[in-house]
Amino acid sequence: MSTDAGAGTGVSTVRGRNYPSIRQFTVFLENRVGQLLEVVRRFEGSTVRIVALSITDAAECAFVRFLLSHPEEGREILERAGLAIIESDLIGVELPDGPQPLLQICTALLQAEVNIVQAYPLLVRPRGRPAVALMVDNIDAGLETLGSKGFSMITEGDLVEDE
């Protein structure tokens, strides 16, 4: 099962690698030893790399959130495995220079009344810079605000490492 929650532009089926957001896949796993390893191994032998990861633990299940270097291929792998997934759009943003880069990002979003729902760092450094993935309550306003304030956005094309 795959849904495109959070896509506000209506182009979810016609996305290029330079679309201004990045896709997150949330997988629901039984909360027991080895479940994460089973999912991670599914990408073995493919071009798909996990470029960001977040795990939320609950009593009987865990929610694993991935950003993938090749989201189309990654979705196919997860669907073939029969995993229940949710697909969402996130904002990828480079951390600006300065002593408090997250303060700059949070301040810009607060001024636009955009709420951050989830946040986690990228494991890769697109263009050699640290970056974070942000799920916000209004992705269009978040992208417009950060872009207008001069922040550099990360696209899916930036997540592909040289192989």
Side-chain angles (χ1 to χ4, degrees):
M1 168 170 76
S2 178
T3 62
D4 194 15
T9 60
V11 294
S12 60
T13 59
V14 190
R15 295 174 56 144
R17 297 196 62 75
N18 292 320
Y19 187 74
S21 66
I22 49 182
R23 282 175 279 185
Q24 169 186 268
F25 297 94
T26 302
V27 178
F28 304 93
L29 298 178
E30 188 177 338
N31 195 356
R32 63 182 173 89
V33 173
Q35 290 294 291
L36 179 61
L37 176 61
E38 284 184 32
V39 173
V40 171
R41 276 194 172 152
R42 296 199 181 275
F43 300 119
E44 194 171 30
S46 75
T47 59
V48 178
R49 302 289 172 264
I50 297 169
V51 297
L53 172 71
S54 172
I55 301 171
T56 304
D57 186 35
E60 294 183 12
C61 67
F63 303 96
V64 181
R65 295 177 175 94
F66 297 104
L67 297 181
L68 303 172
S69 62
H70 297 79
E72 298 294 337
E73 185 180 347
R75 180 193 315 106
E76 289 176 18
I77 290 169
L78 294 170
E79 287 176 342
R80 274 196 313 263
L83 295 168
I85 62 171
I86 294 175
E87 187 174 326
S88 310
D89 285 336
L90 274 61
I91 296 173
V93 61
E94 287 182 6
L95 295 180
D97 292 327
Q100 297 292 332
L102 288 176
L103 177 61
Q104 295 175 49
I105 292 169
C106 290
T107 300
L109 292 173
L110 175 65
Q111 289 171 346
E113 297 183 4
V114 174
N115 187 43
I116 298 172
V117 178
Q118 297 171 15
Y120 51 97
L122 297 177
L123 300 171
V124 298
R125 295 172 72 98
R127 301 188 294 258
R129 309 256 326 150
V132 293
L134 304 171
M135 177 182 274
V136 296
D137 62 354
N138 185 334
I139 193 162
D140 293 329
L143 286 165
E144 181 180 329
T145 297
L146 293 174
S148 71
K149 301 259 185 204
F151 291 93
S152 296
M153 300 297 123
I154 303 297
T155 68
E156 290 179 348
D158 296 321
L159 300 177
V160 178
E161 295 177 334
D162 293 331
E163 299 168 57

